[in-house]
Every structure is written in C-alpha cells, then in structure tokens.
Amino acid sequence: MFNDSYIWGRLFIPLIMIFVLGLMVFFHRRQVFKYLYIVNIFLYLVAIITCFILENHPVGQPFPYPWMTVIPFVWAISIFLAFGLSFASVSAFVIEQAQRHIWARIIIGLVVLAIMIAIAIGIYYFIEIIRVIGYF
C-alpha cells in the first residue's frame, strides 16, 4: 500500500482533511456548518475504507460477495464528493470567520487576487492559441 504512487490522494490528504474538518467542527460546534463538516468526514472515511478494500483485493479475482462489486463506484463517488465538499466546507469556514477576524479577510483577498491572475493568464493563453491557429 505504501509503495503506491497515488497514496497522497487516496490516504494522506483524506486523513489531513479529516483532522482539519475535525478542528472546524470544534470551532463551529454550535452552528449549522458542523453538519456539513461531519458529512464530509464521513465521506472521507468511506473513501479510505473502500480504498483499503480495493487495495487488498487480488487483481483479476471476482469479489467474494455480489454486493462488493459496487465498491469501486462507492470509492469514486465518495472521494469526488468529499473533495468537492472540502472546498465548500473550507470556503464556508473562512467566509464565516471573515465576519469577525481580519486574517480571514486577508485570505479571501489573496484567493480573489489569485483567481483574477489565473483568469488573466487563461485569457492570455486562449488568445495565443487562437493566434497560433490563425484566426487573428
């Protein structure tokens, strides 16, 4: 398992995010956002457990039970939903903290600046591609 080149995306990043989401649940334990964080933690746990099942299953062998044939789909759906909800969870946490703390406002400003720079670079490359194709 630890020789896997995708170990960061399948195990370590989900474990780090579970820890971060646990801290976010602690800070928002009296708000509705805690349910979003808890659902996200559950999705990461499902993704980790199904990843372990898939890693320990021999390649090419059929699953011992018919219900286990959906495990790859459960893993794929849970990991993609978890990554998407992580973005939403961290965004909600920072935006909520920005109402009271200056550090969150600075982070929001830096993210907006990075998005504007990325859009400008994307427009530049789009124009260059069009120019190379020959429409300009």
Side-chain angles (χ1 to χ4, degrees), residues 77-92:
I77 291 169
S78 64
I79 197 74
F80 285 118
L81 283 176
F83 283 146
L85 277 181
S86 293
F87 180 74
S89 298
V90 171
S91 299

Side-chain angles (χ1 to χ4, degrees), residues 21 56 99 122:
L21 288 164
N56 291 327
Q99 296 174 359

Side-chain angles (χ1 to χ4, degrees), residues 23-93:
L23 288 175
M24 291 164 51
V25 166
F26 175 75
F27 285 114
H28 282 171
R29 62 184 172 269
R30 293 189 183 101
Q31 293 184 359
V32 177
F33 288 129
K34 70 180 174 187
Y35 299 114
L36 174 68
Y37 308 149
I38 291 170
V39 167
N40 202 356
I41 289 171
F42 175 74
L43 285 172
Y44 274 125
L45 289 175
V46 168
I48 290 172
I49 291 169
T50 54
C51 181
F52 280 135
I53 292 171
L54 289 173
E55 289 286 330
N56 291 327
H57 184 73
V59 177
Q61 297 294 322
F63 286 106
Y65 302 106
W67 59 268
M68 291 181 75
T69 57
V70 298
I71 287 179
F73 301 107
V74 170
W75 175 79
I77 291 169
S78 64
I79 197 74
F80 285 118
L81 283 176
F83 283 146
L85 277 181
S86 293
F87 180 74
S89 298
V90 171
S91 299
F93 181 78

Side-chain angles (χ1 to χ4, degrees), residues 125-136:
Y125 282 128
F126 178 73
I127 291 171
E128 288 298 316
I129 289 171
I130 296 298
R131 187 172 295 150
V132 168
I133 292 173
Y135 284 108
F136 276 6

Side-chain angles (χ1 to χ4, degrees), residues 1-13 15 48 51-52 55-56:
M1 171 106 188
F2 290 106
N3 295 330
D4 188 8
S5 61
Y6 299 108
I7 192 75
W8 278 99
R10 293 181 184 168
L11 181 65
F12 294 139
I13 291 175
L15 287 176
I48 290 172
C51 181
F52 280 135
E55 289 286 330
N56 291 327

